[in-house]
Each structure stands twice: as C-alpha cells, then as structure tokens.
Amino acid sequence: MKDLEFEQKRSLTRLEAADQLAALADALRHGGRAELQLGPGKLSVHIPDELLSEVEVEVGDDQIELEIELKWSTARSDEAKA
C-alpha cells in the first residue's frame, strides 16, 4: 500500500512545461530537501544522491506520450546498508 500518491493532469504551454521541468532539474541538481510547485500547492521531498530512472515513449496514431519516472528508497542510507 502506498503511503501517499499524487497525480496531476492539466494542459500546459510549452514554456510552462519547460519551467516545470527546469524546477525539477534544479531540485535534482541540488539534492537534499526539495520543494516542487505542483499546481496550487507545494510538495516537499528528500532527494538522495542515487536514483533509479525509467523513460518510456509511446507513439500512437495521433499522439506521442513521454513518461519520465524517477524512484528512490525512503530508507535512511545507514538502514539501507544494514
């Protein structure tokens, strides 16, 4: 069972999408605790140094879907080594 799940679907301009990705990239670059603006609210998460990533592209008759998924453990690093 998931402790928390958040999903947001909305229309964006190309520039809004770029701003959203740039903010995410900045949070990833600096690591530690990051605040991401998600619509009217903010999500605060701890981003570790090591992540798992998955990129998926689906091309259909009338659209292209690009999914970028990032995963990481929520266990503390000293607990993960034990």
Side-chain angles (χ1 to χ4, degrees), residues 9 11 14-15 18 21 32-33 41 45 52 55 61 64 76:
K9 293 182 181 185
S11 292
R14 183 174 40 88
L15 292 176
L21 290 172
R33 180 125 328 254
V45 295
L52 297 173
V55 177
D61 292 334
I64 296 174
R76 294 189 186 272

Side-chain angles (χ1 to χ4, degrees), residues 4-77:
L4 171 70
E5 184 172 333
F6 174 85
E7 184 173 321
Q8 180 183 65
K9 293 182 181 185
R10 64 186 177 121
S11 292
L12 299 172
T13 66
R14 183 174 40 88
L15 292 176
E16 288 171 330
D19 287 343
Q20 194 173 56
L21 290 172
L24 178 58
D26 190 49
L28 288 168
R29 184 169 289 111
H30 292 98
R33 180 125 328 254
E35 286 194 356
L36 303 172
Q37 187 72 37
L38 297 173
K42 288 184 181 181
L43 174 65
S44 180
V45 295
H46 177 267
I47 301 176
D49 291 336
E50 296 291 325
L51 306 159
L52 297 173
S53 72
E54 179 180 331
V55 177
E56 183 178 330
V57 178
E58 294 179 21
V59 179
D61 292 334
D62 61 348
Q63 69 178 12
I64 296 174
E65 182 176 333
L66 169 63
E67 291 183 29
I68 301 171
E69 186 173 302
L70 301 173
K71 294 182 185 180
W72 59 89
S73 174
T74 57
R76 294 189 186 272
S77 59

